Amino acid sequence: WDMEAFESSEMGTIRRGPRGQQGAPPGHLYHSTFADRIWNISRLGLLPSENPRWSGKLGKWSKGKVFFSDNVLSTAFYTAVHFSKNLVEHGRSPDPILLRVDSENLKDAEQDTFQASDWFVERAIPPDQIEVWLPWSRKWVPIREAEKKVSKMETVHGDPGSLEVDPKADVHSYVDAYFREFWPIETASS
């Protein structure tokens, strides 16, 4: 996935600029991925990226890091890019999932100097520090508990279900509706 369209010519300079703030803000930091990865994460934790989904400067910058955001909407953006791409190109996509880690476990996090709400670490995050948002029960649970319930997370096949938007007609509206329906956009800190 080529993110050059999202990058400015100064991005490389900005990303190689001065180091960002050290130590995560109080509360939780959020990470997004897809349901088909939950089994590996529940066993190995969040691992630094070896093969980023992004290309160009963003892909190079992402290698060897685990990224987080201090708000759910920013986290949703990154997953929405891939969710949309999967729906458009393949007509289906694994469910996006939202993870969080208590910032007490991220004292070594560094603020991204390009996007103030983004943070990263250059190490693995152990499974016992990770919680996942369960949209059907609208609560956070430890990832190892969620892994046992993951069968409720299905692959989205471009069927809007209870959503009012047809993904074939307007994939961007569908993705926006999906995240607002199933992710805790308003209640991220609960």
Side-chain angles (χ1 to χ4, degrees):
W1 187 255
D2 187 1
M3 282 294 288
E4 294 298 327
F6 293 94
E7 298 175 352
S8 67
S9 59
E10 303 84 38
M11 185 174 181
T13 306
I14 292 170
R15 288 200 179 270
R16 287 188 295 273
R19 295 185 67 91
Q21 175 183 326
Q22 298 288 309
H28 292 91
L29 291 184
Y30 303 92
H31 179 89
S32 59
T33 189
F34 291 96
D36 60 349
R37 297 183 176 168
I38 199 166
W39 291 282
N40 284 339
I41 296 170
S42 71
R43 287 167 178 75
L44 304 172
L46 284 170
L47 303 176
S49 179
E50 293 180 12
N51 299 302
R53 290 180 179 234
W54 311 105
S55 65
K57 294 174 190 166
L58 185 56
K60 290 176 188 169
W61 171 249
S62 301
K63 190 170 176 96
K65 297 175 178 76
V66 177
F67 280 89
F68 299 91
S69 181
D70 58 19
N71 70 73
V72 174
L73 280 175
S74 290
T75 306
F77 167 79
Y78 294 107
T79 298
V81 170
H82 295 297
F83 188 48
S84 298
K85 178 181 183 278
N86 289 339
L87 288 173
V88 168
E89 292 180 4
H90 308 291
R92 64 177 191 220
S93 178
D95 270 342
I97 59 171
L98 180 64
L99 308 174
R100 75 177 183 181
V101 176
D102 190 311
S103 62
E104 286 295 314
N105 297 314
L106 298 169
K107 293 183 188 285
D108 59 332
E110 183 175 332
Q111 189 173 29
D112 191 335
T113 57
F114 181 70
Q115 178 68 29
S117 64
D118 291 351
W119 298 78
F120 66 88
V121 294
E122 296 178 274
R123 63 173 174 86
I125 305 298
D128 63 342
Q129 296 177 3
I130 303 168
E131 293 179 307
V132 64
W133 175 255
L134 297 181
W136 58 86
S137 61
R138 308 207 58 80
K139 68 178 184 176
W140 293 98
V141 299
I143 196 159
R144 287 191 170 137
E145 180 182 327
E147 184 236 354
K148 297 170 190 158
K149 300 175 182 182
V150 77
S151 62
K152 290 188 179 187
M153 294 177 157
E154 300 174 358
T155 297
V156 175
H157 290 279
D159 177 4
S162 63
L163 299 178
E164 301 282 321
V165 181
D166 178 358
K168 292 179 178 121
D170 186 355
V171 72
H172 300 295
S173 294
Y174 174 80
V175 168
D176 182 63
Y178 179 93
F179 283 104
R180 292 192 183 281
E181 172 74 18
F182 298 112
W183 280 29
I185 300 296
E186 296 355 298
T187 60
S189 62
S190 59

